[in-house]
């Protein structure tokens, strides 16, 4: 009698769950709420700039209407042209002064900041750690506390009513943050590359200019952008140190549209729009360096 065949057990075929689209996975209730909050924050942050631009291209009678609309009924470039060609407010001179001060500050910050940051990152000297901590502590004090001492010192050395005086003042305010940020970026660069350059005969300055600075280009672009924007938008020190109308910057020129009894809102917003354009252009060009440069500075302490 033939032996019965062994029973063959078949494994149950697993049922595959339908794959969800990546976008559907992101749009979970929590993710949707996060996107909604982010969208609201973006609208709130951008609305003042939208209203500034809207008022700048709105005819003056409509801008003072008691029932304003989100978009003007008619657009005009009259306000912007009026600001540029105004005989009493030299917009071109103000723009040139702001460019000189901002670019000069940026150049000085990059030179002094890169040297100081490299010294803190690589050189061993007494008081190195205490000096680095002092750079952070300096940021705790408001710059307004230095107005009177700086004004007295600048008046004695002839830097009041001088654009170079503004460059020196802005450099001192931007330098501590720039040095600390670049120090962290330099620490993220492998020290073996610098050792190899020294074996080839480079000194400290040779290593800095030929090896370190080319590799730290994103960090330099980030601090240069921050220094430029801070100098371009600064108001208080420019208002205190500059009294000559021919040496005023754009931030001070904006106050000319505000007097005791009347404010020219269309002219004010038109000039504010023109003042903001260089800052927006700088951010558009260097925004990809800002993220990498600012985050890389926090890699090592």
């Amino acid at each position: 009698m033939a032996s019965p065949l062994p029973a063959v057990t078949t494994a149950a075929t697993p049922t595959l769950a339908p794959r969800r689209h990546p976008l559907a996975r992101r749009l979970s209730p929590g993710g949707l709420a996060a996107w909604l909050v982010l969208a609201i924050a973006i609208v709130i942050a951008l609305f003042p700039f939208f209203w500034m631009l809207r008022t700048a291209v709105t005819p003056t009678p409509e801008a003072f209407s008691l029932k304003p609309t989100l978009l003007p009924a008619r657009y005009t470039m009259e306000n912007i042209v009026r600001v540029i060609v105004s005989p009493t407010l030299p917009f071109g001179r103000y723009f040139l002064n702001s460019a000189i001060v901002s670019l000069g500050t940026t150049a000085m910050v990059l030179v002094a900041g890169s040297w100081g940051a490299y010294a803190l990152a690589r050189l061993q000297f007494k008081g190195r750690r205490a000096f680095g901590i002092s750079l952070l502590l300096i940021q705790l004090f408001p710059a307004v506390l230095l107005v009177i001492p700086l004004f007295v010192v600048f008046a004695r050395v002839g830097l009041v009513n001088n654009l170079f005086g503004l460059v020196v003042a802005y450099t001192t305010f931007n330098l501590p943050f720039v040095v600390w940020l670049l120090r962290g970026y330099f620490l993220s660069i492998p020290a073996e590359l610098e050792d190899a350059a020294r074996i080839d005969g480079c000194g400290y300055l040779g290593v800095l200019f030929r090896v370190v600075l080319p590799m730290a280009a994103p960090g330099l672009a980030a601090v240069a952008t921050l220094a430029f924007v801070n100098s371009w938008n600064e108001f208080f020190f420019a208002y205190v140190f500059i009294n000559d109308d021919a040496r005023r910057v754009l931030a001070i020129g904006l106050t000319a549209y505000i007097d005791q009894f009347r404010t020219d809102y269309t002219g004010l917003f038109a000039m504010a729009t023109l003042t903001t354009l260089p800052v927006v252009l700088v951010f558009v060009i260097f925004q990809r360096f800002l993220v990498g440069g600012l985050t890389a500075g926090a890699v090592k302490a």
Side-chain angles (χ1 to χ4, degrees):
M1 182 175 182
S3 60
L5 296 175
V8 179
T9 59
T10 57
T13 304
T15 58
L16 298 178
R19 298 184 62 183
R20 299 176 61 189
H21 193 274
L23 184 59
R25 289 198 298 268
R26 291 199 197 111
L27 293 181
S28 60
L32 185 60
W35 279 107
L36 182 61
V37 172
L38 181 61
I40 294 175
I42 292 175
V43 171
I44 294 175
L46 294 181
F47 185 78
F49 298 97
F50 163 77
W51 196 257
M52 176 184 66
L53 180 60
R54 179 257 182 203
T55 306
V57 297
T58 302
T60 301
E62 185 179 351
F64 286 90
S65 174
L66 296 178
K67 295 180 179 180
T69 57
L70 188 62
L71 297 176
R74 184 173 67 88
Y75 296 90
T76 179
M77 297 297 292
E78 177 185 353
N79 301 320
I80 295 178
V81 173
R82 174 164 59 91
V83 168
I84 295 176
V85 301
S86 173
T88 57
L89 294 173
F91 175 81
R93 170 57 61 181
Y94 295 163
F95 188 93
L96 180 61
N97 292 340
S98 293
I100 292 174
V101 172
S102 300
L103 293 176
T105 301
T106 303
M108 292 187 66
V109 164
L110 285 178
V111 173
S114 59
W115 288 21
Y118 184 72
L120 280 178
R122 296 303 189 210
L123 300 184
Q124 300 295 329
F125 55 90
K126 188 176 182 180
R128 169 173 168 265
R129 183 176 180 82
F131 180 73
I133 295 176
S134 67
L135 293 178
L136 293 179
L137 295 179
I138 290 175
Q139 304 298 311
L140 299 178
F141 297 95
V144 68
L145 294 177
L146 303 176
V147 172
I148 295 178
L150 277 179
F151 188 87
V152 172
V153 173
F154 281 19
R156 291 179 179 178
V157 298
L159 291 181
V160 174
N161 243 359
N162 192 318
L163 293 180
F164 182 70
L166 282 183
V167 172
V168 174
Y170 294 166
T171 301
T172 59
F173 302 145
N174 286 285
L175 203 54
F177 175 74
V178 169
V179 169
W180 187 260
L181 181 64
L182 287 180
R183 169 189 172 272
Y185 202 97
F186 290 162
L187 286 175
S188 66
I189 298 175
E192 291 78 6
L193 298 176
E194 302 176 34
D195 296 337
R198 291 192 185 92
I199 293 175
D200 291 337
C202 287
Y204 281 108
L205 291 181
V207 171
L208 176 64
F209 286 107
R210 296 183 181 183
V211 178
V212 177
L213 292 184
M215 297 186 64
L220 295 175
V223 299
T225 303
L226 295 176
F228 179 87
V229 173
N230 291 338
S231 305
W232 186 272
N233 294 331
E234 206 284 325
F235 172 84
F236 186 70
F237 283 89
Y239 185 79
V240 172
F241 290 164
I242 302 296
N243 300 318
D244 187 2
D245 186 67
R247 293 184 175 87
R248 288 180 176 174
V249 295
L250 284 173
I252 306 302
L254 289 170
T255 61
Y257 292 93
I258 304 173
D259 56 27
Q260 185 176 0
F261 303 103
R262 178 178 177 272
T263 299
D264 183 4
Y265 286 104
T266 53
L268 176 64
F269 284 9
M271 188 171 182
T273 301
L274 295 174
T275 303
T276 307
L277 286 179
V279 177
V280 174
L281 182 62
V282 168
F283 269 106
V284 169
I285 295 175
F286 295 104
Q287 58 88 19
R288 65 189 185 96
F289 295 108
L290 280 173
V291 177
L294 292 177
T295 55
V299 172
K300 294 188 177 182

